Structure formats: structure tokens, C-alpha cells
Amino acid sequence: MHEAHWKAAEHHELAAQAHRTAAEHNEKGDRTAADWHSERALEYSDHAYKLAREAHNKSGEIESL
């Protein structure tokens, strides 16, 4: 169970790193790289949300037993 939460947290961290990288490229005026990293950040964030929701649902199932 804890592994599911760790995977969600890992993807949240990947999303945060991609957001930071996008911001750095944006500040340098590299719009192409900023957009690419922003898209990656969104993908990681969406996946993190799904993993977190699944982990939460599984936690609830265990507690209800």
C-alpha cells in the first residue's frame, strides 16, 4: 500500500521538476523548450493525480475491512 503513495509522490516530484525546468527555459526566452517541459509537467501531474486517487481508494478499502 505504501508503495502506491510513494509512486504518486514520485510523480508529483517529477511534475514539480518539469515545472521548474519549464520556468527556467521561459526566463531564458526558449519558448520551445519551455512548452515541451510544461507538457511533460502536465503529463506527470495528471499521472500523479491518478496514482494518488488510486492509492487513496485502496487505503479506504483496507480501512473498511
Side-chain angles (χ1 to χ4, degrees):
M1 173 45 47
H2 295 287
E3 185 176 334
H5 289 284
W6 280 108
K7 285 183 181 182
E10 182 178 284
H11 277 78
H12 280 295
E13 282 296 319
L14 291 170
Q17 179 61 41
H19 278 293
R20 287 189 292 270
T21 304
E24 290 172 5
H25 284 287
N26 191 48
E27 288 177 6
K28 293 177 184 177
D30 187 353
R31 179 70 187 230
T32 302
D35 288 348
W36 188 86
H37 286 285
S38 291
E39 286 295 321
R40 294 295 296 162
L42 181 60
E43 290 172 11
Y44 283 130
S45 183
D46 286 345
H47 194 76
Y49 172 75
K50 290 175 186 174
L51 290 171
R53 188 177 61 213
E54 289 173 10
H56 176 75
N57 290 340
K58 287 179 182 177
S59 292
E61 290 173 8
I62 292 171
E63 290 175 2
S64 64
L65 293 177

